[in-house]
Amino acid sequence: MNLIDGKAISAKCKGEIADEIKSLTAEGRRAPCLAVILVGNDPASQVYVRNKKRACEAVGITSLEYLLDENESEEKLLELIDFLNKDNNVDGILVQMPVPKQIDPDKVIEAISADKDVDAFHAYNVGKLFTGAPRFQPCTPAGVMRLLKEYNVEIKGKHCVVVGRSNIVGKPMGALLLAEDGTVTTCHSRTKNLAEITKQADILVAACGRAKMITADMVKDGAVLVDVGINRVGDKLLGDIDFDACAEKASLITPVPGGVGPMTIAILMQNTLTSYKMRFNLQ
Ligand code: NDP
């Protein structure tokens, strides 16, 4: 079977993290701690926050949850972030995106201390990533890299095509593939002749947020297909890749759900542990 099993690899990563936390806390230190802030009642965000809390519990990370009202002011949120920035018992701070319209997401991202920015969204950490010395890994793209590694996919010299150029997925994805010596092409909504480019991909990462946009005629035989997309269509979750048709051509393919999604959370746990180790000078 050519399926990349994100659930299994995520479980393996979390197992490794749990073991490391167990041995570090056995020496008498406190457990790592992640503070998660949710503003408002967006159902998808509530699910993401719940999943992060569960993952924390599973690996031995203390999770603090702050549920703020939909109408909470930007000022109050920034005050809370400032309080958590100063708390030495907190290693990671995450504000679940999107935030309601009265709050500027860019201000929120820059307000989180770069040392506790476990999403790796802060400009300092983005800069570190692009200069080749990342401290925190961008969660979703790093999750993709781990999947490729686990399945022994060679990146060096391969044509890697990323469809999507967002700050959270497309751009950092390209940076990580480039760092592994891939030849990277980034596509977006203004790209002309998209299919011509995707057809050249040895490794194709779809992160455009358009259900089933990548069709079988857009992929090369034997390509590795990674689907980051999560699109709610009716009661279904669909990826950006037309899975059934493309699976027949791919050498490896990630499903949705059960592919990239579970990896994002595993890397978040990893980043929280990294931050904790930085705080205790353990690396
Ligand atoms: P954004 O909406 O921020 O970015 C989408 C990107 O796709 C943009 O760069 C856009 O181009 C490009 N795009 C849109 N339409 C087309 C098109 N027709 N042809 C080519 N490119 C196109 O989304 P995100 O990057 O945040 O997320 C992408 C997908 O991944 C979403 O489905 C999201 O739900 C999912 N996701 C999944 C995660 C996981 O854990 N599995 C985590 C994060 C996101 P342009 O810049 O020109 O507008």
Side-chain angles (χ1 to χ4, degrees):
M1 184 60 179
N2 60 356
L3 204 64
I4 293 181
D5 188 345
K7 265 195 197 164
I9 305 300
S10 171
K12 181 180 168 187
C13 295
K14 286 192 276 185
E16 291 164 4
I17 295 164
D19 287 347
E20 195 175 346
I21 290 175
K22 213 181 243 173
S23 68
L24 290 172
T25 50
E27 295 164 19
R29 284 180 207 93
R30 67 165 172 84
C33 173
L34 174 65
V36 178
I37 305 171
L38 172 63
V39 189
N41 314 309
D42 177 61
S45 294
Q46 285 173 333
V47 172
Y48 292 140
V49 167
R50 200 180 317 135
N51 289 344
K52 286 166 188 172
K53 191 176 171 188
R54 281 196 192 133
C56 283
E57 280 162 13
V59 300
I61 291 176
T62 306
S63 74
L64 304 177
E65 206 178 42
Y66 295 86
L67 304 175
L68 306 187
D69 189 80
E70 177 78 30
N71 300 314
E72 193 59 275
S73 68
E74 182 181 276
E75 193 189 353
K76 276 274 151 47
L77 174 60
L78 295 178
E79 271 173 30
L80 173 58
I81 292 171
D82 185 49
F83 169 78
L84 295 169
N85 279 343
K86 291 174 180 150
D87 186 341
N88 275 333
N89 290 319
V90 171
D91 302 298
I93 304 170
L94 179 155
V95 177
Q96 185 64 48
M97 297 290 170
V99 283
K101 56 184 179 322
Q102 74 276 15
I103 296 170
D104 177 352
D106 292 337
K107 269 198 198 167
V108 171
I109 288 167
E110 295 307 311
I112 294 171
S113 160
D115 290 338
K116 298 190 179 188
D117 168 41
V118 285
D119 263 333
F121 290 167
H122 191 286
Y124 181 80
N125 290 317
V126 174
K128 286 289 226 185
L129 169 68
F130 278 81
T131 52
R135 306 181 309 166
F136 299 121
Q137 301 283 336
C139 296
T140 302
V144 171
M145 296 305 282
R146 178 74 191 252
L147 289 178
L148 296 177
K149 190 166 176 230
E150 291 284 338
Y151 281 79
N152 297 315
V153 175
E154 203 186 356
I155 295 165
K156 191 175 182 174
K158 294 293 162 65
H159 191 181
C160 308
V161 175
V162 180
V163 184
R165 58 171 166 181
S166 71
N167 286 337
I168 64 165
V169 188
K171 283 183 205 161
M173 188 72 250
L176 292 181
L177 289 163
L178 189 61
E180 293 294 322
D181 297 325
T183 302
V184 177
T185 303
T186 302
C187 302
H188 46 81
S189 68
R190 309 296 162 91
T191 297
K192 294 208 169 88
N193 304 322
L194 180 67
E196 299 286 303
I197 301 167
T198 55
K199 255 191 283 189
Q200 294 171 30
D202 301 307
I203 300 169
L204 177 62
V205 181
C208 49
R210 301 271 180 274
K212 293 186 170 188
M213 194 189 82
I214 305 294
T215 47
D217 57 321
M218 295 171 77
V219 305
K220 180 163 90 172
D221 274 323
V224 173
L225 303 181
V226 178
D227 195 346
V228 177
I230 301 177
N231 307 287
R232 276 162 222 280
V233 180
D235 59 352
K236 280 192 175 158
L237 276 190
L238 298 177
D240 291 343
I241 295 178
D242 183 359
F243 181 88
D244 291 334
C246 293
E248 289 175 16
K249 292 180 94 176
S251 59
L252 284 168
I253 184 167
T254 63
V256 175
V260 175
M263 293 304 296
T264 300
I265 291 191
I267 304 294
L268 177 68
M269 300 297 107
Q270 181 73 61
N271 283 344
T272 306
L273 175 56
T274 300
S275 176
Y276 170 85
K277 291 199 302 193
M278 279 171 14
R279 199 145 289 104
F280 285 95
N281 284 320
L282 294 169
Q283 51 191 3

